Every structure is written in C-alpha cells, then in structure tokens.
Amino acid sequence: MKNPSQSFYTWYKNTLRNDKYRWLVILGSLAYLISPLDISPDFIPIIGWIDDGVVATLLVAEVSQIAMEFLKKRGRSISTDQAASIDEPVVTVEAR
C-alpha cells in the first residue's frame, strides 16, 4: 500500500490535470487555505501552518506546471504558424 501522503499527492495532481475538475480543485484549495477549519488548526504555532503550507505548495507547483505546458504548446503552435506563413527562401551560411 502506498504512503497516504503519496496517494493524496497523486490524486491531487491527476485531478488538477483533468480539465473538468481543475477549477473545482483550485477553488477548493483556496477555500481550505482561507478557512479556519483545517486538519491542524492555525492557532497552534508551526504545526497549524504545515498543512496550509503543503496545500499552497502543491497548488502553486501544479498550476505553474500546467501553465508552462500550456505556454510551450502555444509557443510551438505560434512558431509553426509563423513558419508556414513565411514565403521567403531560407539561406544557409557556413562560417569558416
């Protein structure tokens, strides 16, 4: 059996990458961070902040990864469109 924290991370990552549930998980994560109801209450110093820190870290890491993949995909499609629209011949120059 997997570690419970590894199982949670895998579920969180896969659910965030699903287009259907992405905004629900993002809004739920933000609500969890704002809410005073936590796994460990925030009024307990350090221990109360660990769960919020883990959720915030997972959220930022996964959303930034999704954004980077989107930008890379978008950049490839833009450069492909630009290359297709150029009618000028390409000149190859060899340097000595």
Side-chain angles (χ1 to χ4, degrees), residues 23-64:
W23 287 108
L24 182 66
V25 173
I26 290 172
L27 293 175
S29 297
L30 293 174
Y32 180 80
L33 292 172
I34 295 169
S35 172
L37 301 174
D38 287 345
I39 292 173
S40 57
D42 292 338
F43 66 84
I44 301 172
I46 299 175
I47 295 173
W49 303 323
I50 290 175
D51 63 330
D52 291 339
V54 169
V55 171
T57 302
L58 287 174
L59 179 65
V60 169
E62 291 302 320
V63 169
S64 64

